[in-house]
Every structure is written in C-alpha cells, then in structure tokens.
Amino acid sequence: SAVISQKPSRDICQRGTSLTIQCQVDSQVTMMFWYRQQPGQSLTLIATANQGSEATYESGFVIDKFPISRPNLTFSTLTVSNMSPEDSSIYLCSVFYTDTQYFGPGTRLTVL
Amino acid sequence: AQRVTQPEKLLSVFKGAPVELKCNYSYSGSPELFWYVQYSRQRLQLLLRHISRESIKGFTADLNKGETSFHLKKPFAQEEDSAMYYCALSGGSNYKLTFGKGTLLTVNP
C-alpha cells in the first residue's frame, strides 16, 4: 500500500491570501491527483500531477488559481491562490499505486 | 461525460438487517466501478472494485451494464459498517475517478 501524509491538516485563512498544501507519499508513484470536497458535496478532481510534466487541470479549474508542483516521485504541492470563502473545502491528495488509488487524510481549509 | 448517481444521501438500518446502497452511472465506454468507504475520523479507502468480483467485509457489488448500476449489498449489517460510502467510476486508462455524492449509512443496534 501507499501511505500519504498532508500538511497542514487544517487551516483558517483570510480572503485574498494563498495557502500551499503539501502531499508526501511513502512510495514512488507516477500519478498523483488533487481532489476537492466542498461542504455537502462529492469529491471533484482538480488536476492530475505527473512527475516531469505540467499538471493537467479538469474543466473549471485553472493553473493560476490552483498551481501545482511535482518535483519528484514522492511529493507534490497544491496552492490555493487569492482565496475566497467559496474555496472553503477539504483538499485531498491521491495516488495511483499497484493498481489501487490511495487517499491522503485531507486538508480542511476555511476561508473567512 | 461520465456521471455517478447515489440517490440516497442517508440510509439507516438495524443491526442484522440487509442493506443495499444504490449506485447508477453514466458512461459511454466500459467503465471500472469502485466503492470507497470513509469511517469516522479515517481517510477514504477502497472497499471493493467490480473487476475483482470479491466480497470484502461481507459486502458485494455486481456491475449490471444493462441497468448501468453497481449497487453495494450486505445481507446482515453490523454496527461497524456505519460510514460514508462513495461509488466511483473510472473510464479508460486515465485512472481519474468520478465520485457520487455519497451515502451515509447508519447501522443502529
């Protein structure tokens, strides 16, 4: 299995600021994903982050708002930029490893 | 476009009763279907996938392509089954998951 950790686990931020979420995996993985879960909603894929290439964003998500880094096979960051209260969500990192998708514990973000 | 529908937001049963969590999907090709579970204060984890055709913790799910359904069933619910259950679909080889909105199962003593 792959064990994923995320930092921070939660944060409360002011609108207009940015927050960077870190995702660390204990195994080398090619495919990493970032999901968002808004209150009362399902998980929605933000982007796919493969090492050595630009992240691929889903419809409705743009790089300027959610820049992603993937410097190596065990680490990725997601930045939520110029935050507004609508960005209040749980953000989850996920990896595909040995034919299974594993999820991190999530980062609970509240924007005031 | 791919879509996953879980019509029940909440489902409450008594211990020992059968339980069925419904999932319907929309996808033009051959999908892979999954059930994920999230117990209280734990992370999301894979429960089972249709390819494996296995029973996990007494749960089974059969892919019905005619009805485009992948319902999760257990003949005798246990209190420890109380959790949030998500049905998910993956199309092709991109491994991206589309999730339903989830069903919160409560098993009462």
Side-chain angles (χ1 to χ4, degrees), chain B residues 41-78:
Chain B
R41 296 192 180 86
Q42 294 188 28
R43 64 186 67 192
L44 195 63
Q45 59 185 286
L46 177 67
L47 179 62
L48 54 79
R49 67 186 84 195
H50 90 270
I51 289 179
S52 301
R53 300 185 63 83
E54 56 191 346
S55 173
I56 303 293
K57 299 185 178 182
F59 284 98
T60 59
D62 290 319
L63 178 61
N64 186 322
K65 291 187 177 181
E67 296 183 358
T68 59
S69 67
F70 188 57
H71 303 327
L72 183 68
K73 300 177 184 179
K74 184 169 183 176
F76 307 103
Q78 302 299 314

PDB file of all heavy atoms in Angstrom, chain B residues 41-78:
ATOM      1  N   ARG B  41     -13.548   9.736  11.186  1.00  0.00           N
ATOM      2  CA  ARG B  41     -12.188  10.168  11.516  1.00  0.00           C
ATOM      3  C   ARG B  41     -11.102   9.356  10.805  1.00  0.00           C
ATOM      4  O   ARG B  41      -9.961   9.327  11.263  1.00  0.00           O
ATOM      5  CB  ARG B  41     -11.951  10.149  13.021  1.00  0.00           C
ATOM      6  CG  ARG B  41     -12.822  11.130  13.783  1.00  0.00           C
ATOM      7  CD  ARG B  41     -12.345  11.264  15.216  1.00  0.00           C
ATOM      8  NE  ARG B  41     -13.178  12.202  15.962  1.00  0.00           N
ATOM      9  CZ  ARG B  41     -14.306  11.876  16.570  1.00  0.00           C
ATOM     10  NH1 ARG B  41     -14.731  10.626  16.531  1.00  0.00           N
ATOM     11  NH2 ARG B  41     -15.014  12.768  17.221  1.00  0.00           N
ATOM     12  N   GLN B  42     -11.461   8.697   9.734  1.00  0.00           N
ATOM     13  CA  GLN B  42     -10.470   7.969   8.956  1.00  0.00           C
ATOM     14  C   GLN B  42     -10.469   8.486   7.517  1.00  0.00           C
ATOM     15  O   GLN B  42     -11.375   9.195   7.103  1.00  0.00           O
ATOM     16  CB  GLN B  42     -10.763   6.467   8.976  1.00  0.00           C
ATOM     17  CG  GLN B  42     -10.606   5.835  10.349  1.00  0.00           C
ATOM     18  CD  GLN B  42     -10.715   4.326  10.301  1.00  0.00           C
ATOM     19  OE1 GLN B  42     -10.405   3.702   9.287  1.00  0.00           O
ATOM     20  NE2 GLN B  42     -11.163   3.734  11.394  1.00  0.00           N
ATOM     21  N   ARG B  43      -9.446   8.140   6.789  1.00  0.00           N
ATOM     22  CA  ARG B  43      -9.372   8.584   5.405  1.00  0.00           C
ATOM     23  C   ARG B  43     -10.179   7.679   4.497  1.00  0.00           C
ATOM     24  O   ARG B  43     -10.548   6.563   4.854  1.00  0.00           O
ATOM     25  CB  ARG B  43      -7.914   8.653   4.950  1.00  0.00           C
ATOM     26  CG  ARG B  43      -7.203   7.321   4.920  1.00  0.00           C
ATOM     27  CD  ARG B  43      -5.728   7.511   4.593  1.00  0.00           C
ATOM     28  NE  ARG B  43      -5.028   8.209   5.673  1.00  0.00           N
ATOM     29  CZ  ARG B  43      -3.800   8.701   5.565  1.00  0.00           C
ATOM     30  NH1 ARG B  43      -3.138   8.584   4.433  1.00  0.00           N
ATOM     31  NH2 ARG B  43      -3.226   9.317   6.571  1.00  0.00           N
ATOM     32  N   LEU B  44     -10.426   8.185   3.330  1.00  0.00           N
ATOM     33  CA  LEU B  44     -11.145   7.434   2.316  1.00  0.00           C
ATOM     34  C   LEU B  44     -10.326   6.212   1.898  1.00  0.00           C
ATOM     35  O   LEU B  44      -9.111   6.319   1.681  1.00  0.00           O
ATOM     36  CB  LEU B  44     -11.369   8.350   1.117  1.00  0.00           C
ATOM     37  CG  LEU B  44     -12.371   7.956   0.055  1.00  0.00           C
ATOM     38  CD1 LEU B  44     -13.778   7.888   0.631  1.00  0.00           C
ATOM     39  CD2 LEU B  44     -12.321   8.965  -1.094  1.00  0.00           C
ATOM     40  N   GLN B  45     -10.992   5.080   1.793  1.00  0.00           N
ATOM     41  CA  GLN B  45     -10.266   3.870   1.401  1.00  0.00           C
ATOM     42  C   GLN B  45     -11.128   3.018   0.484  1.00  0.00           C
ATOM     43  O   GLN B  45     -12.348   3.036   0.546  1.00  0.00           O
ATOM     44  CB  GLN B  45      -9.857   3.062   2.639  1.00  0.00           C
ATOM     45  CG  GLN B  45     -11.010   2.630   3.515  1.00  0.00           C
ATOM     46  CD  GLN B  45     -10.539   1.938   4.782  1.00  0.00           C
ATOM     47  OE1 GLN B  45     -10.101   0.804   4.744  1.00  0.00           O
ATOM     48  NE2 GLN B  45     -10.634   2.630   5.897  1.00  0.00           N
ATOM     49  N   LEU B  46     -10.437   2.265  -0.361  1.00  0.00           N
ATOM     50  CA  LEU B  46     -11.127   1.394  -1.295  1.00  0.00           C
ATOM     51  C   LEU B  46     -11.788   0.242  -0.552  1.00  0.00           C
ATOM     52  O   LEU B  46     -11.154  -0.419   0.264  1.00  0.00           O
ATOM     53  CB  LEU B  46     -10.132   0.855  -2.331  1.00  0.00           C
ATOM     54  CG  LEU B  46     -10.686  -0.132  -3.352  1.00  0.00           C
ATOM     55  CD1 LEU B  46     -11.692   0.559  -4.277  1.00  0.00           C
ATOM     56  CD2 LEU B  46      -9.549  -0.740  -4.174  1.00  0.00           C
ATOM     57  N   LEU B  47     -13.057   0.001  -0.847  1.00  0.00           N
ATOM     58  CA  LEU B  47     -13.759  -1.140  -0.276  1.00  0.00           C
ATOM     59  C   LEU B  47     -13.717  -2.309  -1.265  1.00  0.00           C
ATOM     60  O   LEU B  47     -13.252  -3.395  -0.931  1.00  0.00           O
ATOM     61  CB  LEU B  47     -15.206  -0.769   0.048  1.00  0.00           C
ATOM     62  CG  LEU B  47     -16.071  -1.885   0.627  1.00  0.00           C
ATOM     63  CD1 LEU B  47     -15.511  -2.361   1.962  1.00  0.00           C
ATOM     64  CD2 LEU B  47     -17.517  -1.418   0.801  1.00  0.00           C
ATOM     65  N   LEU B  48     -14.204  -2.062  -2.469  1.00  0.00           N
ATOM     66  CA  LEU B  48     -14.109  -3.109  -3.478  1.00  0.00           C
ATOM     67  C   LEU B  48     -14.261  -2.513  -4.874  1.00  0.00           C
ATOM     68  O   LEU B  48     -14.673  -1.368  -5.032  1.00  0.00           O
ATOM     69  CB  LEU B  48     -15.136  -4.216  -3.233  1.00  0.00           C
ATOM     70  CG  LEU B  48     -16.614  -3.861  -3.100  1.00  0.00           C
ATOM     71  CD1 LEU B  48     -17.268  -3.615  -4.431  1.00  0.00           C
ATOM     72  CD2 LEU B  48     -17.375  -4.995  -2.395  1.00  0.00           C
ATOM     73  N   ARG B  49     -13.886  -3.331  -5.857  1.00  0.00           N
ATOM     74  CA  ARG B  49     -13.985  -2.910  -7.252  1.00  0.00           C
ATOM     75  C   ARG B  49     -14.664  -4.022  -8.035  1.00  0.00           C
ATOM     76  O   ARG B  49     -14.572  -5.191  -7.672  1.00  0.00           O
ATOM     77  CB  ARG B  49     -12.600  -2.624  -7.823  1.00  0.00           C
ATOM     78  CG  ARG B  49     -11.723  -3.865  -7.939  1.00  0.00           C
ATOM     79  CD  ARG B  49     -10.316  -3.516  -8.373  1.00  0.00           C
ATOM     80  NE  ARG B  49      -9.491  -3.125  -7.242  1.00  0.00           N
ATOM     81  CZ  ARG B  49      -8.333  -2.514  -7.335  1.00  0.00           C
ATOM     82  NH1 ARG B  49      -7.853  -2.188  -8.524  1.00  0.00           N
ATOM     83  NH2 ARG B  49      -7.642  -2.203  -6.276  1.00  0.00           N
ATOM     84  N   HIS B  50     -15.323  -3.661  -9.108  1.00  0.00           N
ATOM     85  CA  HIS B  50     -16.139  -4.651  -9.814  1.00  0.00           C
ATOM     86  C   HIS B  50     -15.277  -5.694 -10.496  1.00  0.00           C
ATOM     87  O   HIS B  50     -15.687  -6.846 -10.627  1.00  0.00           O
ATOM     88  CB  HIS B  50     -17.083  -3.971 -10.811  1.00  0.00           C
ATOM     89  CG  HIS B  50     -16.506  -3.788 -12.186  1.00  0.00           C
ATOM     90  ND1 HIS B  50     -15.811  -2.663 -12.561  1.00  0.00           N
ATOM     91  CD2 HIS B  50     -16.532  -4.603 -13.263  1.00  0.00           C
ATOM     92  CE1 HIS B  50     -15.434  -2.789 -13.814  1.00  0.00           C
ATOM     93  NE2 HIS B  50     -15.852  -3.935 -14.272  1.00  0.00           N
ATOM     94  N   ILE B  51     -14.068  -5.322 -10.881  1.00  0.00           N
ATOM     95  CA  ILE B  51     -13.212  -6.279 -11.588  1.00  0.00           C
ATOM     96  C   ILE B  51     -12.873  -7.471 -10.705  1.00  0.00           C
ATOM     97  O   ILE B  51     -12.784  -8.603 -11.172  1.00  0.00           O
ATOM     98  CB  ILE B  51     -11.935  -5.570 -12.065  1.00  0.00           C
ATOM     99  CG1 ILE B  51     -12.269  -4.611 -13.204  1.00  0.00           C
ATOM    100  CG2 ILE B  51     -10.896  -6.567 -12.503  1.00  0.00           C
ATOM    101  CD1 ILE B  51     -11.078  -3.845 -13.726  1.00  0.00           C
ATOM    102  N   SER B  52     -12.688  -7.208  -9.423  1.00  0.00           N
ATOM    103  CA  SER B  52     -12.245  -8.263  -8.525  1.00  0.00           C
ATOM    104  C   SER B  52     -13.336  -9.285  -8.242  1.00  0.00           C
ATOM    105  O   SER B  52     -13.037 -10.426  -7.908  1.00  0.00           O
ATOM    106  CB  SER B  52     -11.769  -7.655  -7.215  1.00  0.00           C
ATOM    107  OG  SER B  52     -10.728  -6.754  -7.435  1.00  0.00           O
ATOM    108  N   ARG B  53     -14.585  -8.829  -8.310  1.00  0.00           N
ATOM    109  CA  ARG B  53     -15.715  -9.709  -8.033  1.00  0.00           C
ATOM    110  C   ARG B  53     -15.530 -10.448  -6.707  1.00  0.00           C
ATOM    111  O   ARG B  53     -15.747 -11.647  -6.604  1.00  0.00           O
ATOM    112  CB  ARG B  53     -15.917 -10.708  -9.172  1.00  0.00           C
ATOM    113  CG  ARG B  53     -16.202 -10.056 -10.517  1.00  0.00           C
ATOM    114  CD  ARG B  53     -16.510 -11.102 -11.581  1.00  0.00           C
ATOM    115  NE  ARG B  53     -17.717 -11.846 -11.264  1.00  0.00           N
ATOM    116  CZ  ARG B  53     -18.941 -11.419 -11.534  1.00  0.00           C
ATOM    117  NH1 ARG B  53     -19.130 -10.248 -12.110  1.00  0.00           N
ATOM    118  NH2 ARG B  53     -19.997 -12.163 -11.223  1.00  0.00           N
ATOM    119  N   GLU B  54     -15.095  -9.723  -5.702  1.00  0.00           N
ATOM    120  CA  GLU B  54     -14.849 -10.337  -4.406  1.00  0.00           C
ATOM    121  C   GLU B  54     -15.770  -9.747  -3.355  1.00  0.00           C
ATOM    122  O   GLU B  54     -16.412  -8.736  -3.571  1.00  0.00           O
ATOM    123  CB  GLU B  54     -13.390 -10.112  -3.993  1.00  0.00           C
ATOM    124  CG  GLU B  54     -12.976  -8.665  -3.961  1.00  0.00           C
ATOM    125  CD  GLU B  54     -11.474  -8.489  -3.812  1.00  0.00           C
ATOM    126  OE1 GLU B  54     -10.780  -9.456  -3.480  1.00  0.00           O
ATOM    127  OE2 GLU B  54     -11.006  -7.364  -4.016  1.00  0.00           O
ATOM    128  N   SER B  55     -15.803 -10.413  -2.208  1.00  0.00           N
ATOM    129  CA  SER B  55     -16.585  -9.928  -1.082  1.00  0.00           C
ATOM    130  C   SER B  55     -15.613  -9.390  -0.041  1.00  0.00           C
ATOM    131  O   SER B  55     -14.673 -10.068   0.361  1.00  0.00           O
ATOM    132  CB  SER B  55     -17.422 -11.066  -0.489  1.00  0.00           C
ATOM    133  OG  SER B  55     -18.067 -10.647   0.688  1.00  0.00           O
ATOM    134  N   ILE B  56     -15.838  -8.142   0.351  1.00  0.00           N
ATOM    135  CA  ILE B  56     -14.987  -7.504   1.350  1.00  0.00           C
ATOM    136  C   ILE B  56     -15.854  -7.115   2.541  1.00  0.00           C
ATOM    137  O   ILE B  56     -16.861  -6.426   2.372  1.00  0.00           O
ATOM    138  CB  ILE B  56     -14.299  -6.249   0.784  1.00  0.00           C
ATOM    139  CG1 ILE B  56     -13.486  -6.590  -0.464  1.00  0.00           C
ATOM    140  CG2 ILE B  56     -13.414  -5.602   1.849  1.00  0.00           C
ATOM    141  CD1 ILE B  56     -12.294  -7.461  -0.226  1.00  0.00           C
ATOM    142  N   LYS B  57     -15.485  -7.586   3.709  1.00  0.00           N
ATOM    143  CA  LYS B  57     -16.244  -7.294   4.938  1.00  0.00           C
ATOM    144  C   LYS B  57     -17.719  -7.677   4.763  1.00  0.00           C
ATOM    145  O   LYS B  57     -18.605  -7.037   5.328  1.00  0.00           O
ATOM    146  CB  LYS B  57     -16.115  -5.823   5.321  1.00  0.00           C
ATOM    147  CG  LYS B  57     -14.697  -5.406   5.611  1.00  0.00           C
ATOM    148  CD  LYS B  57     -14.612  -3.963   6.096  1.00  0.00           C
ATOM    149  CE  LYS B  57     -13.162  -3.606   6.414  1.00  0.00           C
ATOM    150  NZ  LYS B  57     -13.022  -2.245   6.930  1.00  0.00           N
ATOM    151  N   GLY B  58     -17.974  -8.684   3.955  1.00  0.00           N
ATOM    152  CA  GLY B  58     -19.338  -9.151   3.747  1.00  0.00           C
ATOM    153  C   GLY B  58     -20.098  -8.397   2.675  1.00  0.00           C
ATOM    154  O   GLY B  58     -21.232  -8.745   2.352  1.00  0.00           O
ATOM    155  N   PHE B  59     -19.476  -7.357   2.115  1.00  0.00           N
ATOM    156  CA  PHE B  59     -20.101  -6.566   1.067  1.00  0.00           C
ATOM    157  C   PHE B  59     -19.789  -7.146  -0.311  1.00  0.00           C
ATOM    158  O   PHE B  59     -18.683  -7.619  -0.561  1.00  0.00           O
ATOM    159  CB  PHE B  59     -19.593  -5.115   1.097  1.00  0.00           C
ATOM    160  CG  PHE B  59     -20.158  -4.278   2.186  1.00  0.00           C
ATOM    161  CD1 PHE B  59     -19.442  -4.088   3.362  1.00  0.00           C
ATOM    162  CD2 PHE B  59     -21.400  -3.665   2.049  1.00  0.00           C
ATOM    163  CE1 PHE B  59     -19.954  -3.311   4.386  1.00  0.00           C
ATOM    164  CE2 PHE B  59     -21.915  -2.874   3.062  1.00  0.00           C
ATOM    165  CZ  PHE B  59     -21.195  -2.699   4.227  1.00  0.00           C
ATOM    166  N   THR B  60     -20.770  -7.086  -1.178  1.00  0.00           N
ATOM    167  CA  THR B  60     -20.588  -7.448  -2.575  1.00  0.00           C
ATOM    168  C   THR B  60     -21.234  -6.376  -3.442  1.00  0.00           C
ATOM    169  O   THR B  60     -22.118  -5.630  -2.983  1.00  0.00           O
ATOM    170  CB  THR B  60     -21.220  -8.807  -2.914  1.00  0.00           C
ATOM    171  OG1 THR B  60     -22.625  -8.753  -2.614  1.00  0.00           O
ATOM    172  CG2 THR B  60     -20.569  -9.935  -2.140  1.00  0.00           C
ATOM    173  N   ALA B  61     -20.792  -6.316  -4.682  1.00  0.00           N
ATOM    174  CA  ALA B  61     -21.395  -5.394  -5.638  1.00  0.00           C
ATOM    175  C   ALA B  61     -21.262  -6.001  -7.023  1.00  0.00           C
ATOM    176  O   ALA B  61     -20.178  -6.458  -7.395  1.00  0.00           O
ATOM    177  CB  ALA B  61     -20.727  -4.029  -5.587  1.00  0.00           C
ATOM    178  N   ASP B  62     -22.333  -6.016  -7.747  1.00  0.00           N
ATOM    179  CA  ASP B  62     -22.325  -6.573  -9.097  1.00  0.00           C
ATOM    180  C   ASP B  62     -22.586  -5.474 -10.107  1.00  0.00           C
ATOM    181  O   ASP B  62     -23.527  -4.681  -9.956  1.00  0.00           O
ATOM    182  CB  ASP B  62     -23.393  -7.660  -9.243  1.00  0.00           C
ATOM    183  CG  ASP B  62     -23.041  -8.899  -8.451  1.00  0.00           C
ATOM    184  OD1 ASP B  62     -21.848  -9.276  -8.452  1.00  0.00           O
ATOM    185  OD2 ASP B  62     -23.934  -9.468  -7.799  1.00  0.00           O
ATOM    186  N   LEU B  63     -21.770  -5.464 -11.134  1.00  0.00           N
ATOM    187  CA  LEU B  63     -21.950  -4.479 -12.193  1.00  0.00           C
ATOM    188  C   LEU B  63     -23.045  -4.967 -13.124  1.00  0.00           C
ATOM    189  O   LEU B  63     -22.947  -6.070 -13.679  1.00  0.00           O
ATOM    190  CB  LEU B  63     -20.642  -4.296 -12.963  1.00  0.00           C
ATOM    191  CG  LEU B  63     -20.684  -3.320 -14.143  1.00  0.00           C
ATOM    192  CD1 LEU B  63     -21.050  -1.924 -13.670  1.00  0.00           C
ATOM    193  CD2 LEU B  63     -19.352  -3.320 -14.868  1.00  0.00           C
ATOM    194  N   ASN B  64     -24.080  -4.186 -13.276  1.00  0.00           N
ATOM    195  CA  ASN B  64     -25.180  -4.510 -14.190  1.00  0.00           C
ATOM    196  C   ASN B  64     -25.139  -3.498 -15.328  1.00  0.00           C
ATOM    197  O   ASN B  64     -25.601  -2.365 -15.187  1.00  0.00           O
ATOM    198  CB  ASN B  64     -26.519  -4.442 -13.445  1.00  0.00           C
ATOM    199  CG  ASN B  64     -27.682  -4.900 -14.304  1.00  0.00           C
ATOM    200  OD1 ASN B  64     -27.737  -4.633 -15.505  1.00  0.00           O
ATOM    201  ND2 ASN B  64     -28.618  -5.594 -13.692  1.00  0.00           N
ATOM    202  N   LYS B  65     -24.570  -3.906 -16.433  1.00  0.00           N
ATOM    203  CA  LYS B  65     -24.395  -2.962 -17.541  1.00  0.00           C
ATOM    204  C   LYS B  65     -25.729  -2.584 -18.174  1.00  0.00           C
ATOM    205  O   LYS B  65     -25.889  -1.470 -18.670  1.00  0.00           O
ATOM    206  CB  LYS B  65     -23.455  -3.570 -18.584  1.00  0.00           C
ATOM    207  CG  LYS B  65     -22.016  -3.688 -18.084  1.00  0.00           C
ATOM    208  CD  LYS B  65     -21.082  -4.130 -19.184  1.00  0.00           C
ATOM    209  CE  LYS B  65     -19.637  -4.182 -18.679  1.00  0.00           C
ATOM    210  NZ  LYS B  65     -18.685  -4.592 -19.737  1.00  0.00           N
ATOM    211  N   GLY B  66     -26.680  -3.508 -18.134  1.00  0.00           N
ATOM    212  CA  GLY B  66     -27.985  -3.198 -18.714  1.00  0.00           C
ATOM    213  C   GLY B  66     -28.691  -2.088 -17.959  1.00  0.00           C
ATOM    214  O   GLY B  66     -29.310  -1.209 -18.560  1.00  0.00           O
ATOM    215  N   GLU B  67     -28.578  -2.130 -16.640  1.00  0.00           N
ATOM    216  CA  GLU B  67     -29.214  -1.107 -15.818  1.00  0.00           C
ATOM    217  C   GLU B  67     -28.233  -0.015 -15.422  1.00  0.00           C
ATOM    218  O   GLU B  67     -28.601   0.888 -14.675  1.00  0.00           O
ATOM    219  CB  GLU B  67     -29.792  -1.763 -14.556  1.00  0.00           C
ATOM    220  CG  GLU B  67     -30.913  -2.758 -14.845  1.00  0.00           C
ATOM    221  CD  GLU B  67     -31.516  -3.341 -13.577  1.00  0.00           C
ATOM    222  OE1 GLU B  67     -31.044  -2.996 -12.468  1.00  0.00           O
ATOM    223  OE2 GLU B  67     -32.457  -4.153 -13.693  1.00  0.00           O
ATOM    224  N   THR B  68     -27.021  -0.115 -15.900  1.00  0.00           N
ATOM    225  CA  THR B  68     -25.927   0.825 -15.532  1.00  0.00           C
ATOM    226  C   THR B  68     -25.931   1.063 -14.023  1.00  0.00           C
ATOM    227  O   THR B  68     -25.989   2.206 -13.552  1.00  0.00           O
ATOM    228  CB  THR B  68     -26.012   2.159 -16.308  1.00  0.00           C
ATOM    229  OG1 THR B  68     -27.269   2.800 -16.041  1.00  0.00           O
ATOM    230  CG2 THR B  68     -25.861   1.935 -17.792  1.00  0.00           C
ATOM    231  N   SER B  69     -25.869  -0.033 -13.292  1.00  0.00           N
ATOM    232  CA  SER B  69     -25.881   0.068 -11.830  1.00  0.00           C
ATOM    233  C   SER B  69     -24.745  -0.735 -11.230  1.00  0.00           C
ATOM    234  O   SER B  69     -24.204  -1.663 -11.854  1.00  0.00           O
ATOM    235  CB  SER B  69     -27.218  -0.425 -11.271  1.00  0.00           C
ATOM    236  OG  SER B  69     -27.365  -1.820 -11.481  1.00  0.00           O
ATOM    237  N   PHE B  70     -24.400  -0.356 -10.014  1.00  0.00           N
ATOM    238  CA  PHE B  70     -23.335  -1.044  -9.264  1.00  0.00           C
ATOM    239  C   PHE B  70     -23.702  -0.933  -7.786  1.00  0.00           C
ATOM    240  O   PHE B  70     -23.033  -0.292  -7.000  1.00  0.00           O
ATOM    241  CB  PHE B  70     -21.984  -0.396  -9.582  1.00  0.00           C
ATOM    242  CG  PHE B  70     -20.798  -1.134  -9.016  1.00  0.00           C
ATOM    243  CD1 PHE B  70     -20.563  -2.455  -9.325  1.00  0.00           C
ATOM    244  CD2 PHE B  70     -19.888  -0.477  -8.187  1.00  0.00           C
ATOM    245  CE1 PHE B  70     -19.464  -3.135  -8.816  1.00  0.00           C
ATOM    246  CE2 PHE B  70     -18.776  -1.143  -7.680  1.00  0.00           C
ATOM    247  CZ  PHE B  70     -18.564  -2.469  -8.001  1.00  0.00           C
ATOM    248  N   HIS B  71     -24.779  -1.551  -7.414  1.00  0.00           N
ATOM    249  CA  HIS B  71     -25.286  -1.443  -6.049  1.00  0.00           C
ATOM    250  C   HIS B  71     -24.441  -2.264  -5.081  1.00  0.00           C
ATOM    251  O   HIS B  71     -24.032  -3.377  -5.377  1.00  0.00           O
ATOM    252  CB  HIS B  71     -26.741  -1.905  -5.986  1.00  0.00           C
ATOM    253  CG  HIS B  71     -27.665  -1.170  -6.909  1.00  0.00           C
ATOM    254  ND1 HIS B  71     -27.494   0.163  -7.233  1.00  0.00           N
ATOM    255  CD2 HIS B  71     -28.775  -1.583  -7.587  1.00  0.00           C
ATOM    256  CE1 HIS B  71     -28.449   0.543  -8.050  1.00  0.00           C
ATOM    257  NE2 HIS B  71     -29.237  -0.496  -8.300  1.00  0.00           N
ATOM    258  N   LEU B  72     -24.265  -1.737  -3.886  1.00  0.00           N
ATOM    259  CA  LEU B  72     -23.484  -2.396  -2.836  1.00  0.00           C
ATOM    260  C   LEU B  72     -24.443  -3.080  -1.872  1.00  0.00           C
ATOM    261  O   LEU B  72     -25.389  -2.450  -1.394  1.00  0.00           O
ATOM    262  CB  LEU B  72     -22.632  -1.358  -2.096  1.00  0.00           C
ATOM    263  CG  LEU B  72     -21.691  -1.870  -1.016  1.00  0.00           C
ATOM    264  CD1 LEU B  72     -20.566  -2.702  -1.628  1.00  0.00           C
ATOM    265  CD2 LEU B  72     -21.106  -0.703  -0.224  1.00  0.00           C
ATOM    266  N   LYS B  73     -24.152  -4.343  -1.572  1.00  0.00           N
ATOM    267  CA  LYS B  73     -25.084  -5.107  -0.741  1.00  0.00           C
ATOM    268  C   LYS B  73     -24.359  -5.848   0.370  1.00  0.00           C
ATOM    269  O   LYS B  73     -23.200  -6.255   0.206  1.00  0.00           O
ATOM    270  CB  LYS B  73     -25.840  -6.136  -1.609  1.00  0.00           C
ATOM    271  CG  LYS B  73     -26.643  -5.544  -2.733  1.00  0.00           C
ATOM    272  CD  LYS B  73     -27.286  -6.622  -3.575  1.00  0.00           C
ATOM    273  CE  LYS B  73     -28.012  -6.037  -4.773  1.00  0.00           C
ATOM    274  NZ  LYS B  73     -28.626  -7.070  -5.628  1.00  0.00           N
ATOM    275  N   LYS B  74     -25.092  -6.005   1.460  1.00  0.00           N
ATOM    276  CA  LYS B  74     -24.601  -6.845   2.553  1.00  0.00           C
ATOM    277  C   LYS B  74     -25.819  -7.483   3.204  1.00  0.00           C
ATOM    278  O   LYS B  74     -26.776  -6.788   3.527  1.00  0.00           O
ATOM    279  CB  LYS B  74     -23.815  -6.020   3.566  1.00  0.00           C
ATOM    280  CG  LYS B  74     -23.198  -6.866   4.668  1.00  0.00           C
ATOM    281  CD  LYS B  74     -22.207  -6.087   5.506  1.00  0.00           C
ATOM    282  CE  LYS B  74     -21.566  -6.991   6.552  1.00  0.00           C
ATOM    283  NZ  LYS B  74     -20.524  -6.288   7.335  1.00  0.00           N
ATOM    284  N   PRO B  75     -25.803  -8.792   3.381  1.00  0.00           N
ATOM    285  CA  PRO B  75     -27.006  -9.464   3.889  1.00  0.00           C
ATOM    286  C   PRO B  75     -27.325  -9.154   5.350  1.00  0.00           C
ATOM    287  O   PRO B  75     -28.501  -9.112   5.724  1.00  0.00           O
ATOM    288  CB  PRO B  75     -26.701 -10.948   3.683  1.00  0.00           C
ATOM    289  CG  PRO B  75     -25.225 -11.041   3.564  1.00  0.00           C
ATOM    290  CD  PRO B  75     -24.753  -9.738   3.009  1.00  0.00           C
ATOM    291  N   PHE B  76     -26.290  -8.934   6.154  1.00  0.00           N
ATOM    292  CA  PHE B  76     -26.524  -8.696   7.584  1.00  0.00           C
ATOM    293  C   PHE B  76     -25.621  -7.546   8.030  1.00  0.00           C
ATOM    294  O   PHE B  76     -24.425  -7.734   8.249  1.00  0.00           O
ATOM    295  CB  PHE B  76     -26.215  -9.951   8.400  1.00  0.00           C
ATOM    296  CG  PHE B  76     -26.926 -11.184   7.915  1.00  0.00           C
ATOM    297  CD1 PHE B  76     -26.242 -12.142   7.188  1.00  0.00           C
ATOM    298  CD2 PHE B  76     -28.279 -11.371   8.169  1.00  0.00           C
ATOM    299  CE1 PHE B  76     -26.900 -13.282   6.717  1.00  0.00           C
ATOM    300  CE2 PHE B  76     -28.934 -12.505   7.701  1.00  0.00           C
ATOM    301  CZ  PHE B  76     -28.249 -13.458   6.983  1.00  0.00           C
ATOM    302  N   ALA B  77     -26.198  -6.377   8.191  1.00  0.00           N
ATOM    303  CA  ALA B  77     -25.413  -5.194   8.543  1.00  0.00           C
ATOM    304  C   ALA B  77     -24.913  -5.271   9.993  1.00  0.00           C
ATOM    305  O   ALA B  77     -25.598  -5.797  10.871  1.00  0.00           O
ATOM    306  CB  ALA B  77     -26.255  -3.944   8.351  1.00  0.00           C
ATOM    307  N   GLN B  78     -23.720  -4.726  10.192  1.00  0.00           N
ATOM    308  CA  GLN B  78     -23.123  -4.644  11.527  1.00  0.00           C
ATOM    309  C   GLN B  78     -22.942  -3.176  11.900  1.00  0.00           C
ATOM    310  O   GLN B  78     -22.825  -2.310  11.030  1.00  0.00           O
ATOM    311  CB  GLN B  78     -21.765  -5.348  11.538  1.00  0.00           C
ATOM    312  CG  GLN B  78     -21.825  -6.813  11.124  1.00  0.00           C
ATOM    313  CD  GLN B  78     -22.700  -7.636  12.044  1.00  0.00           C
ATOM    314  OE1 GLN B  78     -22.608  -7.521  13.279  1.00  0.00           O
ATOM    315  NE2 GLN B  78     -23.551  -8.475  11.475  1.00  0.00           N
TER     316      GLN B  78
END
